[in-house]
Amino acid sequence: MIRLKTPEQIDGIRKSCHITADMFNELIPKIHAGMSTYDIDMLFKNYIISHGGKPAWYKEGFSGAVCISINEEVIHGIPSKKRIVKEGDLVSLDVGIDLNGYISDTTHSLLIGKVSPEVRKLKEVTEECLRAGIAACVAGNRISDIAHAVYEIADRNGYGVVYDYCGHGVGLDVHEDPSVPNCPFRGMNPRIRPGMVLAIEPMINMGVPDVELLDDGWTVVTADGKVSCHEEHTVAVFADHTEVLTDLNYDK
């Protein structure tokens, strides 16, 4: 069931999203080679708690405050003291805050130090895919318009688009209806309506689109071991516009 949010609910979700954006702006400069993913997780966890929130992923049974996925890890990497960030890595940070019952969800992929031109291009194209998906997310369109917008850009650049995982509704729970795929699909294709709050999140692979789930039950990796990039924003749909709630440069 798709839950259309009231203006009051969207305002609560917006506040959660703005704290999330502020958190990234403050913490991204502190992330560097040599840190463990546990160290990164603790930075975010402490920020969230000190600002009156709770890590949203806890509601899903995940052990960390942040899903930290490196290189061939697509999503849901578990923070660990043994997993060390290295020069040249692509590190995606998937974070949500539960602020008084209102949920944010966003992902930013970071380039650590000097990375290869191929990895840099993958990040740039993934960001372009996200922008295109958001541009297609307007009242009156359908969910498939988002999927086609994302897929067309990734496919044109020769990348694989992950089809086993996708975006989703968000705001009152971490994962809500509807699903928001990043590639053409069959099945339910609801019209986009005012009051929808969606997490749009392209997951773009340098190689094949296929992925595998590791034995830890969480970490998803590319089937061919090539690098993947993940970018995500939470957006709210209104009758005459769509607002990117997790925009790092939101109007204060």
Side-chain angles (χ1 to χ4, degrees):
M1 180 182 72
I2 297 172
R3 291 188 280 186
L4 300 180
K5 277 69 175 182
T6 66
E8 293 76 18
Q9 288 172 328
I10 291 177
D11 189 54
I13 298 165
R14 182 185 290 113
K15 290 174 182 175
S16 178
C17 288
H18 285 178
I19 290 175
T20 307
D22 293 341
M23 177 174 63
F24 269 100
N25 283 327
E26 180 171 325
L27 298 185
I28 283 176
K30 298 182 180 181
I31 297 171
H32 56 81
M35 298 180 74
S36 72
T37 55
Y38 173 84
D39 294 333
I40 296 171
D41 187 70
M42 291 304 296
L43 281 177
F44 281 85
K45 178 182 177 182
N46 290 337
Y47 188 101
I48 292 168
I49 293 173
S50 69
H51 286 77
K54 296 180 288 188
W57 275 104
Y58 286 176
K59 298 183 74 166
E60 301 285 288
F62 189 77
S63 60
V66 190
C67 294
I68 307 176
S69 307
I70 301 177
N71 297 333
E72 77 283 356
E73 296 170 348
V74 182
I75 51 174
H76 302 165
I78 301 173
S80 168
K81 292 181 180 179
K82 297 180 180 179
R83 189 75 159 107
I84 306 300
V85 174
K86 300 186 175 87
E87 179 90 5
D89 281 345
L90 184 150
V91 180
S92 75
L93 306 174
D94 185 352
V95 188
I97 294 177
D98 178 346
L99 184 69
N100 302 317
Y102 296 110
I103 308 294
S104 62
D105 194 4
T106 192
T107 303
H108 296 281
S109 288
L110 312 184
L111 302 178
I112 305 300
K114 185 177 180 181
V115 302
S116 70
E118 293 80 11
V119 169
R120 186 172 298 278
K121 180 185 175 184
L122 176 66
K123 175 174 165 59
E124 291 171 352
V125 171
T126 305
E127 291 174 336
E128 184 181 356
C129 288
L130 178 57
R131 290 192 296 270
I134 293 170
C137 182
V138 295
N141 276 0
R142 291 190 179 273
I143 294 296
S144 62
D145 292 307
I146 300 173
H148 283 282
V150 171
Y151 183 82
E152 191 276 331
I153 290 170
D155 186 61
R156 187 175 69 218
N157 283 274
Y159 295 138
V161 181
V162 174
Y163 51 84
D164 284 336
Y165 299 87
C166 61
H168 49 88
V170 70
L172 304 180
D173 280 308
V174 179
H175 292 103
E176 302 178 16
D177 291 332
S179 294
V180 185
N182 295 306
C183 55
F185 62 92
R186 295 179 180 178
M188 298 294 291
N189 184 24
R191 195 171 296 280
I192 299 169
R193 298 171 58 191
M196 282 187 174
V197 178
L198 303 174
I200 300 174
E201 50 178 320
M203 290 159 265
I204 309 300
N205 296 347
M206 192 177 289
V208 300
D210 308 284
V211 298
E212 299 173 353
L213 180 65
L214 296 187
D215 290 341
D216 62 23
W218 281 100
T219 309
V220 176
V221 299
T222 56
D224 59 6
K226 293 186 178 180
V227 177
S228 182
C229 187
H230 180 201
E231 296 283 342
E232 175 184 22
H233 273 309
T234 294
V235 306
V237 179
F238 298 89
D240 59 348
H241 71 287
T242 296
E243 179 182 350
V244 182
L245 300 176
T246 48
D247 186 354
L248 296 187
N249 299 307
Y250 72 90
D251 292 333
K252 297 187 178 181

